[in-house]
Amino acid sequence: MKNTKMLVCAMLVAVIALLSACSGTNGANGGQASSPAGSSKPQETAAAPSFLVEKGFLTYGTAATFPPFEYMVNNGFTGFDIELGQAIAKEMGVEVKIQSMNFDGLIPALQGKRIDIINSAMYIKPEREEQVDFIPYMGLADSIVVKSGNPKGVKSMDDLSDLTVAVTRGAVEEINVREHNVKLKQAGKPEIKILALPTANDAVLATEQGRADAFLHSSPGAAYLQEEKPGVFEIAGSFGADTKIGIAVRKGDTETKTAIENALKKVVDNGTYKQLMEKYHLPAEMSYFK
C-alpha cells in the first residue's frame, strides 16, 4: 500500500510538471509578449490616444517637398519624418495614413481635426506655439543657398538687402526674412524682396532660373540638394542654429501630446531614431536627444 501511494504521488508530480511546461508562460512560444533580458514583465507598446481621426490609424499631415525629411520618390513618400512617423505609430500599435498638402494648410487641417498630428519638420516658433503644441525632436540651422560661384557675394542675411529671396509661403523661412526686413529698415537699408512660393522645390527652381538671387533652406536640406544637383548651388552662409523642429498636436490636446512623447521615447531608446539619422546623413549634433 505504501509503495502504491508513493507511485501515485510521483505520477501527480510528473503530470503537474508536464502541464506547467506546456502552459508556455515563461517560454518564447507561449503566446505572450516576450520580455527583454533582465525584465520580468512583457514589453508594452505606448498607448495610442483615445481620439483618432480614423480608428486604427495615426493620420498625419505633411508637405512632402522637404528632403531629407519628407519627399516623394516614384510616387511614394520617403524621408526621415516618414519613417519616424511609421516607427511612432508602430509603438502605439496603429498604422499610418498620410495626408499630403501645402505647408500653409497644415495647421488649419490640424485645428479642423482632419489630421491627428503634423509630421512635417515644422519649425517651432512663438507664433506657431500660440496655435499648436509641439513635441520637439531635432535641432536645425537655416542656410542661404545661392547659385554656384555666388555671383552676388552673399555671406549673411545682411548681404541679401535689396536682393530677391525665394521662400516657401507660410514656412519659417518667410517669417525669418520678414523679421530681418524689420532690422534692415531700422538700419536704413533696403529690404529683402520676398518671392513667396507654394513649395520648397519652387524656391529652388526660381533660384536656378535666376528669378531669385537666393533661397533659404534648412542646413540638412541644403546639403541634400548639393548631392541632388551637384555643381548647381552652394551654401553662402548659415544662421539660427538653435532652431528646433517638432511634431505638432492640437493646442491643449495633452492626451495626444503625451502619447506621441511616450512613443517617441521608445523609438529613441530602441535605437531607431539614431539609425534613421545615420540613414539620411543627418549630423549627430542635430539630435534633440543627447
Side-chain angles (χ1 to χ4, degrees):
M1 178 67 73
K2 183 177 180 180
N3 289 338
T4 300
K5 289 181 177 180
M6 291 178 65
L7 179 59
V8 171
C9 288
M11 290 175 66
L12 286 172
V13 170
V15 170
I16 292 171
L18 179 61
L19 290 173
S20 176
C22 292
S23 69
T25 53
N26 295 317
N29 300 317
Q32 294 187 11
S34 58
S35 301
S39 173
S40 60
K41 296 181 179 180
Q43 189 171 4
E44 298 177 352
T45 58
S50 59
F51 173 80
L52 291 172
V53 170
E54 185 171 341
K55 186 176 181 181
F57 290 88
L58 179 66
T59 303
Y60 68 78
T62 192
T65 60
F66 190 41
F69 293 100
E70 45 272 323
Y71 56 108
M72 305 296 291
V73 174
N74 298 325
N75 295 320
F77 294 95
T78 190
F80 179 89
D81 286 343
I82 304 302
E83 294 199 48
L84 181 66
Q86 290 171 338
I88 288 172
K90 182 179 178 181
E91 290 296 336
M92 295 194 297
V94 297
E95 298 181 49
V96 295
K97 181 163 285 189
I98 302 173
Q99 297 290 345
S100 180
M101 58 189 71
N102 286 340
F103 193 88
D104 55 2
L106 290 170
I107 290 179
L110 180 66
Q111 293 172 329
K113 296 188 176 181
R114 289 184 281 129
I115 54 177
D116 297 309
I117 63 172
I118 296 171
N119 179 30
S120 195
M122 183 169 277
Y123 286 40
I124 300 174
K125 301 282 285 184
E127 54 268 38
R128 288 183 180 149
E129 290 180 297
E130 293 177 1
Q131 303 177 74
V132 299
D133 289 331
F134 283 101
I135 301 98
Y137 63 91
M138 194 174 293
L140 290 184
D142 271 316
S143 292
I144 304 168
V145 184
V146 298
K147 292 187 74 171
S148 185
N150 195 1
K152 298 295 176 71
V154 174
K155 295 181 181 179
S156 68
M157 289 289 285
D158 285 343
D159 295 330
L160 295 174
S161 170
D162 207 28
L163 298 182
T164 300
V165 175
V167 294
T168 305
R169 185 182 300 121
V172 69
E173 290 82 13
E174 182 177 4
I175 296 171
N176 286 335
V177 174
R178 293 191 184 281
E179 289 177 349
H180 200 77
N181 271 345
V182 173
K183 298 177 182 178
L184 289 173
K185 188 174 182 179
Q186 290 173 344
K189 296 180 179 180
E191 296 181 12
I192 299 167
K193 301 168 186 174
I194 300 172
L195 179 60
L197 299 166
T199 71
N201 287 340
D202 292 329
V204 171
L205 185 61
T207 307
E208 187 173 0
Q209 293 176 339
R211 292 186 290 123
D213 299 300
F215 69 95
L216 303 187
H217 212 348
S218 75
S219 294
Y224 178 85
L225 183 64
Q226 287 181 299
E227 291 184 15
E228 190 178 36
K229 292 178 175 285
V232 177
F233 297 105
E234 66 178 77
I235 297 174
S238 295
F239 62 95
D242 294 332
T243 300
K244 300 292 186 295
I245 60 175
I247 295 169
V249 302
R250 279 178 288 279
K251 192 70 181 174
D253 186 354
T254 56
E255 183 189 6
T256 299
K257 186 173 186 288
T258 300
I260 297 296
E261 286 173 336
N262 290 341
L264 178 59
K265 183 178 186 303
K266 288 181 177 292
V267 171
V268 173
D269 290 346
N270 66 25
T272 301
Y273 177 91
K274 181 180 179 181
Q275 291 169 6
L276 290 178
M277 289 201 68
E278 292 172 352
K279 177 177 179 178
Y280 289 99
H281 309 290
L282 297 170
E285 58 266 24
M286 288 171 52
S287 173
Y288 185 78
F289 308 97
K290 299 174 183 178

